[in-house]
Amino acid sequence: MHSPAPSPPPVPAPPPGPSAPSLPAARSGGESGPSPHRSAFRPDIEGLRAVAVLAVLAFHAGVPGLAGGFVGVDVFFVVSGYLITGLLVREAVTTGRIRLLDFFSRRARRLLPSAAVVLGAVALAGAWLTVPLRRADLEQDVVAAALSAANWRFVAQRTDYLAAGHEQSPLLHFWSLAVEEQFYLLWAPLLALIVLGAARAVRRGRAVRAAVALAAVPLVLASFALSLRWTDHSASLAYLATPSRVWQFGVGALVALLPWHLMRGPRPLRLLCGWAGITAIVWSAVAYDAATPYPGHAALVPTLGAAAVILAAIPGRGERSTPGGYGIGRLLAGRAPRAVGRLSYTLYLWHWPVLVLAEARFGPQDWPVKAALTLAAALPAYTTMRWVEQPLRRSRTVSEFPRRGLSVGITAVVLPVVLALVVGTTTLNLLGPATPVQLGGLPPGAASGPHLLARTGSAPPAAGPVVPGPAQARKDFPPDGACEVAPAVTRSPDCLFGAVDSPDRIVLLGDSHAGQWFSAMLAMAAQRGWALQELVKQGCPLPQLAVDSPQLGRAYRECDTWRADALERLRQQPKPRLIVISSLNRYTADSGLLAEAWEKTLAPLRAIGAPIVYIEDTPVPGTDVPACVSGSPEEPAACAFSRANAQQPDPLARRIAAGGLPGVRAVSVNPVLCPGDGPTCPAVLDRILLYRDDAHLTNVAVVVLTPRLERLLTDAGALPAVGGAGAASGPTGPAGWTEVFREEFDGPAGSPPSSANWLHDIGTCYPGCPAAQWGTGEVETMTDSTDNVRLDGKGALEIVPTRTADGAWRSGRIETRRSDFAAPAGGILRIEAAIALPDVTGAKAAGYWPAFWTLGAPLRDGYTGWPGIGELDIMESVNGRDSVFATMHCGTLEGGPCREPAGLSSGPQPCGDCRTGFHTYAVEVDRSPGAEEVRWYLDGRVHHRVAASRMDPDTWKRAVDHGLFLILNVAIGGGLPLADGATPGPATEPGHPMRVDRVTVSTRARAA
């Protein structure tokens, strides 16, 4: 979510290349001769380029009074349309055809080499001046710009709310070059086709001009209509896309096509036309600003102004082409304007990268410094013009054959692309993988206290890289699919998650700052067997404020429609158990207006009668946090940001605290996100990268904040407390047992297990791959897909191995989020599950390896220390045998008291119907003084014991004197099935699930 203040229009275009020399005129001025605007060089147009480029340069430098300088792009498009159309039509009239290879060869050798020099320089300078994550984005910009597709890349970024918050690209101005090249890829072949039909006409000149004009008029009208529509619906698309800019080229083309040369004077009218045109351009540069809807109707002023300036200097019948003494053309044809006009192309190519890269290195600058930097850009611009552009234009060797010019152009495209790919690949390797974060490996979050993560004693979290990595953070969104609706959408879909058939539900309502809490709210809802309904819209304030959308570039009417619809839906639906609201806290600085707007929204919400909890807005860094961290991976503290700017006063929270809104409660996680009272807030805490952009939390941060948020909600009375995550203890059962965890796997068929209780292990190893193939040689890849891990809708979990068409195995492995299951001092811990093994045997079961087991909590501090930290295999089975076994791993990796790597095993225990029905498997860790041991049970019968006396005290303590976490999985292949004599092969049959009916954890205190 970003500030709703309107953003300036996109960067204007660089001017088109130098005007092309024209073909000699035949019967100049004759009705059927070449283009009547004659082939003589137009110095006034070269001067007009100077006006346009100075306007846009002043705009970029932030010169006061020229906030509308972006209109220079319109002038460039008109000039380009006029010159190129005139050139092509003159060729058609003179020769009877258009040589497309010649045309594109001239364009390529004049425009592309200079652009390639700038692109190459930016690619190299970016590697030095920018941080890695921004550098990776920049190299993609280089590729798009070299391929003349930059405008569509920037359209995608500017219309995508989730891509907002990134810094300006040094190559943003290449969008207009892309528009121009895309237009001529259409326009030149179209003219060539028209000429084929008109070439045999008696009066060929008149026929060609008329036919081309007839094609141009509907194209101009259609493009202008599209521009108006897109300006009203998506200003970024209207500004940057080719279809909405075609009409401006077309206006220039019509000026070149219509028979102005047949008209006589009057010269005063031409003088007035020229001065009116330049006045229109200057007026729009001064009068327009970022709030002007653009292009739209407003673009008519500079576009028609440019056309008027060009038209004013076209000589009529019998007139000379020399500019009149008082015409604007004489002023524009002066030496100074022409000098700037000649330099305009390369100057525009260079000035914007100089500005952006300087600010990337030294921070934002005031307009005098920007103006000086723009002036300094004239040096590389002149060098490029003098040593690249002009030599290639004048080279007889290059211009002799079209293919040589095309070869120069292709080389100018390929070189920056290759350079960008090399730099980009190196950068991506430096950044590390951008794959989704494996949430199964996350350490547990603290439910209270000053730290983000739960800690054992005072020990800080283990050192290591930040999670998620900067590249991962950019894409670490809530897993809510299309339920966080985009700016153009006016109604949320039916977004129900969790136990969707439950009559109880939590409603998550607001903008993207509410949507960021999706994973936490889903975990809490699922843990209670409730549904979660998400009603969230990007950039839309929940208080009833009128705002503009930066993505749409206009008033955010869709927000008002969506908000009204969401409130009406909640009014008509059954009352939810809880409504959770949140919103960006900076849509307006007017606290009175904000309070009034909140009241308009809260009144109908409170009338529903459900508890309402407001989650205070989280800190807003205001800077691209992942990019900063990518540049300071070893010192993320360097990316801390201002507390005063990030945390603004919250009038709604103050009003709730004062009791002004009965039935509404407020909670805040900000004390842990921005701890203490210092001047800054951290970007990284306990190795967790907190923000995915300049305003939103990463999904990883939300997941580790879930226990804290749940405690806040239960303490506020908004949620009932339940056993499991976040609960200290449960009810006391028979013989003094206290249940501390229970999972019944209730929920709709096909849904995942509760994310409040379970984490998915994904891939083939823990993050960092300390033990590839999970250390056992398994062949499957673990996923979080419901194809592999799902509820059956009847109160059981299914873990299903599957095989893809290419023979690759997929399966599931889940761990409890909690890792604190431990026997009380002198007491007993009991872990139990009811499991039905995969119903497959014989050759079809070769390689199947279902398991229910535990690992010591210290393993989560970096996945090291096995087997010393202890592993209790409660149930394992391989290859579809009618037997199960249990094992304890401890001590050292080879040999030792636990005979590793085999461990202390029970050996096969007969269980003929374990595949066809549920059986109870349990382990007890007994810490009773003098009788410490671990016991394994099958259907209540002890079948294996390991006593503490079998090993030295230190080994025993390391193995059992800490918390445990539970694991359920079905592996395929690996060392254990192989030792049993089978490996997965063509006959192995996928799709047979291990089913789990329940999992419980209980403790019993030491007997008195």
Side-chain angles (χ1 to χ4, degrees):
M1 182 51 241
H2 302 277
S3 171
S7 59
V11 178
S19 57
S22 304
L23 295 170
R27 297 200 308 270
S28 180
E31 291 185 8
S32 298
S35 176
H37 308 175
R38 300 192 175 101
S39 59
F41 174 68
R42 291 278 303 268
D44 59 313
I45 290 182
E46 196 165 62
L48 183 58
R49 284 201 185 99
V51 173
V53 76
L54 290 175
V56 294
L57 265 60
F59 164 64
H60 288 158
V63 175
L66 288 173
F70 53 82
V71 300
V73 68
D74 308 79
V75 177
F76 292 136
F77 285 165
V78 174
V79 168
S80 190
Y82 171 78
L83 291 175
I84 299 301
T85 302
L87 173 68
L88 292 173
V89 170
R90 279 195 300 275
E91 180 184 2
V93 173
T94 304
T95 67
R97 63 193 180 100
I98 294 176
R99 297 177 179 85
L100 290 178
L101 285 180
D102 284 351
F103 170 74
F104 286 117
S105 175
R106 290 192 299 269
R107 298 287 296 173
R109 72 172 186 264
R110 289 169 188 157
L111 297 181
L112 297 183
S114 296
V117 170
V118 175
L119 291 176
V122 169
L124 293 175
W128 173 48
L129 296 173
T130 61
V131 296
L133 192 56
R134 191 174 178 191
R135 188 185 315 151
D137 293 337
L138 176 57
E139 303 309 328
Q140 295 182 46
D141 295 344
V142 170
V143 173
L147 297 176
S148 296
N151 62 321
W152 295 111
R153 171 167 170 78
F154 297 129
V155 164
Q157 290 179 350
R158 286 173 173 262
T159 56
D160 182 3
Y161 178 87
L162 298 178
H166 301 175
E167 300 291 340
Q168 292 266 41
S169 169
L171 299 176
L172 181 57
H173 62 320
F174 267 76
W175 74 269
S176 62
L177 279 180
V179 168
E180 186 173 343
E181 294 306 321
Q182 291 162 26
F183 173 74
Y184 288 120
L185 283 174
L186 165 71
W187 187 236
L190 178 61
L191 263 60
L193 288 174
I194 294 173
V195 168
L196 286 177
R200 296 179 180 272
V202 175
R203 296 180 179 273
R204 188 168 62 197
R206 180 181 297 176
V208 169
R209 290 193 300 273
V212 175
L214 286 175
V217 169
L219 201 63
V220 167
L221 295 177
S223 174
F224 182 64
L226 185 63
S227 177
L228 295 180
R229 176 174 176 79
W230 281 356
T231 300
D232 188 52
H233 289 81
S234 178
S236 295
L237 183 63
Y239 199 102
L240 296 167
T242 304
S244 55
R245 290 293 192 167
V246 164
W247 70 276
Q248 295 176 303
F249 294 96
V251 167
L254 290 174
V255 174
L257 291 168
L258 297 182
W260 312 107
H261 66 298
L262 300 180
M263 301 179 183
R264 294 184 178 276
R267 182 162 295 277
L269 183 59
R270 290 178 180 271
L271 292 176
L272 180 62
C273 179
W275 283 106
I278 199 69
T279 300
I281 295 171
V282 174
W283 176 84
S284 56
V286 173
Y288 293 171
D289 58 21
T292 304
Y294 212 81
H297 292 96
L300 281 170
V301 177
T303 301
L304 296 180
V309 173
I310 295 171
L311 180 61
I314 296 175
R317 177 178 294 180
E319 295 180 342
R320 299 175 61 190
S321 60
T322 304
Y326 300 100
I328 187 62
R330 179 171 292 276
L331 178 63
L332 294 176
R335 294 181 63 183
R338 288 182 58 194
V340 176
R342 282 193 297 272
L343 189 63
S344 60
Y345 177 57
T346 53
L347 179 58
Y348 204 96
L349 286 178
W350 276 107
H351 90 284
W352 183 247
V354 168
L355 286 176
V356 174
L357 291 174
E359 291 198 328
R361 184 70 172 179
F362 303 109
Q365 303 295 320
D366 295 330
W367 77 264
V369 176
K370 290 183 177 180
L373 289 170
T374 301
L375 184 62
L379 179 59
Y382 176 79
T383 302
T384 305
M385 181 187 72
R386 176 67 179 83
W387 298 107
V388 178
E389 177 188 305
Q390 291 181 347
L392 287 171
R393 283 184 60 203
R394 298 167 179 170
S395 171
R396 291 185 178 181
T397 302
V398 175
S399 60
E400 183 177 6
F401 298 105
R403 65 177 179 270
R404 292 178 181 174
L406 291 175
S407 297
V408 169
I410 292 172
T411 303
V413 170
V414 170
L415 288 180
V417 168
V418 171
L419 181 60
L421 292 177
V422 171
V423 176
T425 301
T426 304
T427 302
L428 291 176
N429 291 334
L430 178 65
L431 284 171
T435 53
V437 179
Q438 298 183 13
L439 298 178
L442 291 180
S448 60
H451 303 297
L452 179 65
L453 301 181
R455 299 190 179 186
T456 302
S458 59
V466 298
V467 180
Q472 292 175 310
R474 278 275 179 87
K475 301 177 181 179
D476 196 27
F477 304 114
D480 55 356
C483 287
E484 186 175 310
V485 296
V489 180
T490 57
R491 178 180 171 85
S492 289
D494 293 329
C495 289
L496 283 176
F497 300 87
V500 296
D501 296 328
S502 172
D504 300 316
R505 75 187 192 284
I506 298 173
V507 173
L508 181 60
L509 177 66
D511 63 7
S512 58
H513 279 228
Q516 68 184 359
W517 295 111
F518 171 82
S519 292
M521 301 316 303
L522 178 59
M524 294 178 218
Q527 188 178 13
R528 290 159 176 79
W530 298 357
L532 174 67
Q533 181 180 17
E534 184 182 25
L535 298 172
V536 167
K537 181 169 176 61
Q538 297 170 357
C540 179
L542 189 56
Q544 294 191 27
L545 293 167
V547 297
D548 291 338
S549 167
Q551 284 68 45
L552 300 177
R554 55 170 173 77
Y556 202 177
R557 299 183 293 272
E558 291 82 354
C559 174
D560 301 327
T561 303
W562 173 87
R563 187 192 306 110
D565 176 77
L567 294 175
E568 178 62 20
R569 288 168 69 177
L570 291 177
R571 187 185 69 82
Q572 294 181 357
Q573 292 174 358
K575 183 172 70 174
R577 290 290 296 268
L578 175 64
I579 299 174
V580 176
I581 62 175
S582 193
S583 183
L584 180 72
N585 184 31
R586 50 187 69 203
Y587 285 103
T588 177
D590 187 334
S591 59
L593 178 63
L594 182 61
E596 181 181 348
W598 268 117
E599 184 57 41
K600 291 178 181 177
T601 296
L602 288 173
L605 278 180
R606 293 168 65 196
I608 294 173
I612 300 172
V613 170
Y614 170 60
I615 302 179
E616 292 185 34
D617 192 22
T618 49
V620 176
T623 186
D624 189 345
V625 171
C628 179
V629 173
S630 75
S632 304
E634 304 301 326
E635 297 183 13
C639 297
F641 47 90
S642 167
R643 177 190 295 268
N645 295 334
Q647 287 189 280
Q648 296 188 356
D650 193 326
L652 179 61
R654 288 202 303 265
R655 189 177 178 197
I656 293 171
L661 292 169
V664 183
R665 282 151 280 191
V667 298
S668 176
V669 296
N670 292 349
V672 71
L673 290 179
C674 191
D677 55 2
T680 62
C681 297
V684 176
L685 271 177
D686 290 349
R687 295 197 300 117
I688 301 297
L689 204 167
L690 299 177
Y691 301 93
R692 69 173 188 252
D693 49 28
D694 63 345
H696 300 86
L697 295 176
T698 60
N699 191 56
V700 166
V702 170
V703 169
V704 298
L705 281 167
T706 298
R708 183 177 301 269
L709 185 59
E710 182 173 18
R711 180 188 61 80
L712 292 171
L713 292 175
T714 53
D715 289 351
L719 282 178
V722 296
S729 63
T732 300
W737 288 97
T738 299
E739 187 174 275
V740 297
F741 178 86
R742 171 174 287 271
E743 176 63 77
E744 297 282 0
F745 298 112
D746 291 325
S751 61
S754 165
S755 59
N757 290 342
W758 301 96
L759 307 168
H760 287 272
D761 292 336
I762 300 175
T764 59
C765 59
Y766 282 116
C769 280
Q773 296 179 295
W774 303 109
T776 58
E778 304 162 28
V779 301
E780 85 290 337
T781 297
M782 296 299 186
T783 83
D784 60 357
S785 169
T786 51
D787 290 340
N788 300 116
V789 186
R790 61 183 178 239
L791 304 183
D792 68 357
K794 301 176 183 178
L797 171 76
E798 294 182 337
I799 300 181
V800 192
T802 59
R803 186 167 54 198
T804 62
D806 61 359
W809 283 93
R810 304 282 187 267
S811 192
R813 169 171 163 151
I814 62 173
E815 302 177 357
T816 53
R817 187 173 293 278
R818 291 181 64 181
S819 60
D820 60 347
F821 303 126
I828 305 173
L829 169 73
R830 180 179 175 88
I831 300 169
E832 178 178 297
I835 298 174
L837 298 181
D839 191 11
V840 60
T841 190
K844 296 179 180 180
Y848 267 66
W849 183 5
F852 172 47
W853 47 301
T854 77
L855 282 171
L859 199 68
R860 282 193 171 162
D861 291 337
Y863 310 111
T864 58
W866 190 92
I869 48 78
E871 174 181 327
L872 303 177
D873 299 329
I874 306 169
M875 184 285 300
E876 293 182 277
S877 179
V878 294
N879 300 327
R881 306 290 188 195
D882 289 332
S883 61
V884 295
F885 51 89
T887 307
M888 179 175 181
H889 294 278
C890 64
T892 57
L893 188 58
E894 295 290 338
C898 282
R899 305 171 189 168
E900 297 300 337
L904 302 175
S905 175
S906 67
Q909 301 295 306
C911 191
D913 59 347
C914 283
R915 292 180 286 102
T916 58
F918 288 97
H919 288 257
T920 301
Y921 304 89
V923 67
E924 289 182 357
V925 180
D926 191 343
R927 304 299 307 281
S928 301
E932 291 191 61
E933 67 173 8
V934 180
R935 296 182 292 271
W936 283 261
Y937 296 79
L938 172 56
D939 292 329
R941 175 183 62 86
V942 176
H943 70 87
H944 185 44
R945 297 174 186 265
V946 174
S949 59
R950 295 187 61 171
M951 60 195 73
D952 61 276
D954 286 341
T955 298
W956 177 259
K957 185 175 182 179
R958 287 188 62 208
V960 300
D961 191 17
H962 48 62
L964 303 173
F965 59 94
L966 282 51
I967 305 171
L968 291 160
N969 73 281
V970 177
I972 296 294
L976 204 56
L978 179 62
D980 186 62
T983 59
T988 306
E989 192 171 272
H992 296 281
M994 177 175 79
R995 296 184 296 146
V996 186
D997 179 68
R998 70 179 185 279
V999 177
T1000 60
V1001 180
S1002 304
T1003 60
R1004 188 169 67 183
R1006 178 179 179 179

